[in-house]
Tab-separated table of all heavy atoms in Angstrom:
chain	number	residue	atom	x	y	z
A	1	GLN	N	111.493	104.868	88.969
A	1	GLN	CA	112.116	103.663	89.508
A	1	GLN	C	112.004	103.556	91.017
A	1	GLN	O	112.296	102.511	91.595
A	1	GLN	CB	113.584	103.581	89.085
A	1	GLN	CG	114.469	104.696	89.616
A	1	GLN	CD	114.544	105.897	88.695
A	1	GLN	OE1	113.645	106.107	87.865
A	1	GLN	NE2	115.610	106.669	88.814
A	2	ARG	N	111.588	104.623	91.672
A	2	ARG	CA	111.397	104.593	93.124
A	2	ARG	C	109.956	104.223	93.514
A	2	ARG	O	109.615	104.234	94.686
A	2	ARG	CB	111.727	105.976	93.725
A	2	ARG	CG	113.215	106.340	93.701
A	2	ARG	CD	113.976	105.549	94.743
A	2	ARG	NE	115.379	105.906	94.793
A	2	ARG	CZ	115.896	106.774	95.643
A	2	ARG	NH1	115.118	107.400	96.500
A	2	ARG	NH2	117.190	107.025	95.638
A	3	ILE	N	109.122	103.919	92.529
A	3	ILE	CA	107.711	103.615	92.783
A	3	ILE	C	107.400	102.213	92.266
A	3	ILE	O	107.660	101.898	91.106
A	3	ILE	CB	106.785	104.635	92.089
A	3	ILE	CG1	107.119	106.061	92.561
A	3	ILE	CG2	105.320	104.307	92.343
A	3	ILE	CD1	106.470	107.144	91.725
A	4	VAL	N	106.853	101.363	93.122
A	4	VAL	CA	106.500	100.002	92.738
A	4	VAL	C	105.001	99.801	92.954
A	4	VAL	O	104.484	100.107	94.039
A	4	VAL	CB	107.287	98.964	93.569
A	4	VAL	CG1	106.819	97.555	93.231
A	4	VAL	CG2	108.774	99.112	93.319
A	5	GLY	N	104.309	99.298	91.947
A	5	GLY	CA	102.889	98.992	92.065
A	5	GLY	C	102.669	97.506	92.250
A	5	GLY	O	103.104	96.695	91.428
A	6	VAL	N	102.017	97.120	93.337
A	6	VAL	CA	101.693	95.717	93.596
A	6	VAL	C	100.258	95.461	93.170
A	6	VAL	O	99.343	96.201	93.541
A	6	VAL	CB	101.863	95.384	95.096
A	6	VAL	CG1	101.330	93.976	95.403
A	6	VAL	CG2	103.321	95.496	95.501
A	7	GLU	N	100.046	94.430	92.365
A	7	GLU	CA	98.699	93.986	91.999
A	7	GLU	C	98.362	92.796	92.887
A	7	GLU	O	98.878	91.700	92.703
A	7	GLU	CB	98.651	93.603	90.519
A	7	GLU	CG	98.904	94.775	89.579
A	7	GLU	CD	98.853	94.386	88.124
A	7	GLU	OE1	97.841	93.778	87.705
A	7	GLU	OE2	99.831	94.664	87.398
A	8	THR	N	97.485	93.012	93.847
A	8	THR	CA	97.239	91.994	94.869
A	8	THR	C	96.363	90.849	94.381
A	8	THR	O	96.393	89.757	94.940
A	8	THR	CB	96.582	92.634	96.102
A	8	THR	OG1	95.298	93.152	95.737
A	8	THR	CG2	97.455	93.753	96.663
A	9	GLY	N	95.507	91.088	93.363
A	9	GLY	CA	94.597	90.057	92.892
A	9	GLY	C	93.428	89.821	93.826
A	9	GLY	O	92.583	88.956	93.591
A	10	GLY	N	93.352	90.560	94.897
A	10	GLY	CA	92.276	90.445	95.882
A	10	GLY	C	92.279	91.676	96.750
A	10	GLY	O	92.907	92.672	96.418
A	11	CYS	N	91.602	91.609	97.872
A	11	CYS	CA	91.497	92.770	98.754
A	11	CYS	C	92.877	93.283	99.149
A	11	CYS	O	93.666	92.524	99.741
A	11	CYS	CB	90.714	92.401	100.003
A	11	CYS	SG	90.634	93.734	101.221
A	12	PRO	N	93.209	94.538	98.821
A	12	PRO	CA	94.534	95.055	99.177
A	12	PRO	C	94.803	95.027	100.671
A	12	PRO	O	95.957	94.936	101.092
A	12	PRO	CB	94.496	96.501	98.653
A	12	PRO	CG	93.467	96.505	97.592
A	12	PRO	CD	92.435	95.517	98.046
A	13	HIS	N	93.740	95.086	101.486
A	13	HIS	CA	93.959	95.075	102.928
A	13	HIS	C	94.544	93.750	103.397
A	13	HIS	O	95.323	93.706	104.349
A	13	HIS	CB	92.647	95.362	103.656
A	13	HIS	CG	92.050	96.674	103.295
A	13	HIS	ND1	90.764	96.804	102.836
A	13	HIS	CD2	92.566	97.925	103.269
A	13	HIS	CE1	90.512	98.081	102.572
A	13	HIS	NE2	91.593	98.771	102.822
A	14	THR	N	94.184	92.655	102.711
A	14	THR	CA	94.745	91.358	103.069
A	14	THR	C	96.243	91.341	102.856
A	14	THR	O	96.994	90.756	103.636
A	14	THR	CB	94.075	90.254	102.237
A	14	THR	OG1	92.671	90.240	102.516
A	14	THR	CG2	94.660	88.892	102.558
A	15	ALA	N	96.682	92.012	101.791
A	15	ALA	CA	98.108	91.996	101.436
A	15	ALA	C	98.962	92.871	102.333
A	15	ALA	O	100.197	92.805	102.254
A	15	ALA	CB	98.274	92.424	99.982
A	16	ILE	N	98.334	93.678	103.175
A	16	ILE	CA	99.119	94.493	104.110
A	16	ILE	C	98.871	94.067	105.554
A	16	ILE	O	99.516	94.572	106.459
A	16	ILE	CB	98.820	96.009	103.940
A	16	ILE	CG1	97.333	96.328	104.072
A	16	ILE	CG2	99.339	96.489	102.601
A	16	ILE	CD1	96.886	96.798	105.405
A	17	ARG	N	97.979	93.089	105.731
A	17	ARG	CA	97.617	92.677	107.093
A	17	ARG	C	97.801	91.184	107.320
A	17	ARG	O	98.383	90.775	108.325
A	17	ARG	CB	96.163	93.060	107.366
A	17	ARG	CG	95.650	92.677	108.751
A	17	ARG	CD	94.159	93.001	108.858
A	17	ARG	NE	93.387	92.250	107.896
A	17	ARG	CZ	92.318	92.744	107.235
A	17	ARG	NH1	91.925	93.981	107.442
A	17	ARG	NH2	91.666	91.994	106.369
A	18	ASP	N	97.311	90.345	106.423
A	18	ASP	CA	97.280	88.901	106.645
A	18	ASP	C	98.454	88.164	106.000
A	18	ASP	O	99.170	87.421	106.661
A	18	ASP	CB	95.956	88.321	106.142
A	18	ASP	CG	94.756	88.976	106.805
A	18	ASP	OD1	94.845	89.262	108.011
A	18	ASP	OD2	93.745	89.214	106.118
A	19	ASP	N	98.623	88.354	104.705
A	19	ASP	CA	99.768	87.779	103.997
A	19	ASP	C	100.515	88.917	103.341
A	19	ASP	O	100.133	89.393	102.271
A	19	ASP	CB	99.294	86.761	102.949
A	19	ASP	CG	100.452	86.140	102.178
A	19	ASP	OD1	101.619	86.489	102.464
A	19	ASP	OD2	100.190	85.319	101.285
A	20	VAL	N	101.574	89.360	103.975
A	20	VAL	CA	102.283	90.562	103.529
A	20	VAL	C	103.415	90.254	102.566
A	20	VAL	O	104.201	91.131	102.216
A	20	VAL	CB	102.839	91.351	104.743
A	20	VAL	CG1	101.716	91.720	105.696
A	20	VAL	CG2	103.938	90.562	105.466
A	21	SER	N	103.502	89.013	102.096
A	21	SER	CA	104.664	88.592	101.322
A	21	SER	C	104.846	89.395	100.039
A	21	SER	O	105.988	89.714	99.671
A	21	SER	CB	104.569	87.094	100.994
A	21	SER	OG	103.358	86.804	100.300
A	22	MET	N	103.763	89.737	99.335
A	22	MET	CA	103.903	90.510	98.095
A	22	MET	C	104.511	91.876	98.351
A	22	MET	O	105.356	92.356	97.590
A	22	MET	CB	102.540	90.662	97.401
A	22	MET	CG	102.051	89.422	96.700
A	22	MET	SD	100.539	89.716	95.747
A	22	MET	CE	99.355	89.831	97.071
A	23	ASN	N	104.079	92.510	99.438
A	23	ASN	CA	104.618	93.819	99.775
A	23	ASN	C	106.049	93.721	100.288
A	23	ASN	O	106.897	94.562	99.964
A	23	ASN	CB	103.729	94.508	100.806
A	23	ASN	CG	102.543	95.183	100.180
A	23	ASN	OD1	102.658	96.272	99.628
A	23	ASN	ND2	101.388	94.536	100.238
A	24	ALA	N	106.335	92.708	101.071
A	24	ALA	CA	107.697	92.527	101.570
A	24	ALA	C	108.664	92.314	100.413
A	24	ALA	O	109.761	92.890	100.385
A	24	ALA	CB	107.742	91.345	102.542
A	25	LEU	N	108.261	91.503	99.436
A	25	LEU	CA	109.101	91.277	98.265
A	25	LEU	C	109.276	92.546	97.450
A	25	LEU	O	110.368	92.809	96.923
A	25	LEU	CB	108.498	90.168	97.396
A	25	LEU	CG	108.606	88.755	97.963
A	25	LEU	CD1	107.789	87.774	97.110
A	25	LEU	CD2	110.059	88.298	98.033
A	26	ALA	N	108.209	93.350	97.334
A	26	ALA	CA	108.291	94.609	96.585
A	26	ALA	C	109.274	95.567	97.245
A	26	ALA	O	110.057	96.243	96.567
A	26	ALA	CB	106.905	95.248	96.485
A	27	ILE	N	109.266	95.629	98.589
A	27	ILE	CA	110.196	96.493	99.315
A	27	ILE	C	111.629	96.010	99.109
A	27	ILE	O	112.547	96.790	98.849
A	27	ILE	CB	109.842	96.533	100.808
A	27	ILE	CG1	108.497	97.227	101.019
A	27	ILE	CG2	110.933	97.253	101.607
A	27	ILE	CD1	107.933	97.063	102.412
A	28	GLU	N	111.817	94.703	99.224
A	28	GLU	CA	113.157	94.149	99.036
A	28	GLU	C	113.681	94.422	97.629
A	28	GLU	O	114.856	94.769	97.449
A	28	GLU	CB	113.131	92.646	99.326
A	28	GLU	CG	112.917	92.319	100.798
A	28	GLU	CD	112.761	90.831	101.047
A	28	GLU	OE1	112.942	90.035	100.089
A	28	GLU	OE2	112.462	90.451	102.198
A	29	GLU	N	112.831	94.250	96.619
A	29	GLU	CA	113.238	94.515	95.243
A	29	GLU	C	113.560	95.989	95.044
A	29	GLU	O	114.531	96.341	94.364
A	29	GLU	CB	112.127	94.085	94.289
A	29	GLU	CG	112.304	94.516	92.831
A	29	GLU	CD	113.576	93.962	92.193
A	29	GLU	OE1	114.107	92.944	92.684
A	29	GLU	OE2	114.042	94.560	91.199
A	30	LEU	N	112.764	96.852	95.641
A	30	LEU	CA	112.991	98.291	95.530
A	30	LEU	C	114.350	98.672	96.102
A	30	LEU	O	115.117	99.433	95.493
A	30	LEU	CB	111.863	99.030	96.258
A	30	LEU	CG	111.811	100.547	96.183
A	30	LEU	CD1	111.668	101.023	94.739
A	30	LEU	CD2	110.641	101.076	97.015
A	31	GLU	N	114.670	98.132	97.263
A	31	GLU	CA	115.951	98.462	97.879
A	31	GLU	C	117.125	97.757	97.194
A	31	GLU	O	118.234	98.276	97.162
A	31	GLU	CB	115.910	98.138	99.368
A	31	GLU	CG	114.948	99.025	100.134
A	31	GLU	CD	115.207	99.022	101.619
A	31	GLU	OE1	115.201	97.928	102.219
A	31	GLU	OE2	115.435	100.113	102.169
A	32	ARG	N	116.886	96.596	96.641
A	32	ARG	CA	117.943	95.935	95.878
A	32	ARG	C	118.300	96.747	94.646
A	32	ARG	O	119.472	96.889	94.285
A	32	ARG	CB	117.497	94.533	95.458
A	32	ARG	CG	118.582	93.718	94.741
A	32	ARG	CD	118.008	92.514	94.043
A	32	ARG	NE	117.130	92.908	92.955
A	32	ARG	CZ	117.549	93.337	91.767
A	32	ARG	NH1	118.842	93.457	91.523
A	32	ARG	NH2	116.671	93.669	90.836
A	33	ARG	N	117.263	97.325	94.025
A	33	ARG	CA	117.458	98.074	92.788
A	33	ARG	C	117.984	99.476	93.035
A	33	ARG	O	118.831	99.980	92.306
A	33	ARG	CB	116.109	98.153	92.053
A	33	ARG	CG	116.161	98.679	90.654
A	33	ARG	CD	114.806	98.557	90.014
A	33	ARG	NE	113.829	99.446	90.638
A	33	ARG	CZ	112.545	99.148	90.780
A	33	ARG	NH1	112.081	97.976	90.394
A	33	ARG	NH2	111.719	100.011	91.346
């Protein structure tokens, strides 16, 4: 439950550099849970 896998659907580097919303939401969900 402390590990969250994000499926970016495209280049993972974009999801940590350009549009970080998927990762930000994953962090928020992890801490909420």
Side-chain angles (χ1 to χ4, degrees):
Q1 64 270 22
R2 290 286 183 96
I3 303 168
V4 175
V6 172
E7 295 180 53
T8 64
C11 176
H13 301 126
T14 299
I16 55 97
R17 180 185 62 218
D18 303 322
D19 180 1
V20 303
S21 57
M22 285 187 286
N23 278 281
L25 288 172
I27 293 168
E28 290 174 7
E29 170 60 22
L30 185 60
E31 293 198 304
R32 184 195 66 77
R33 190 174 67 214

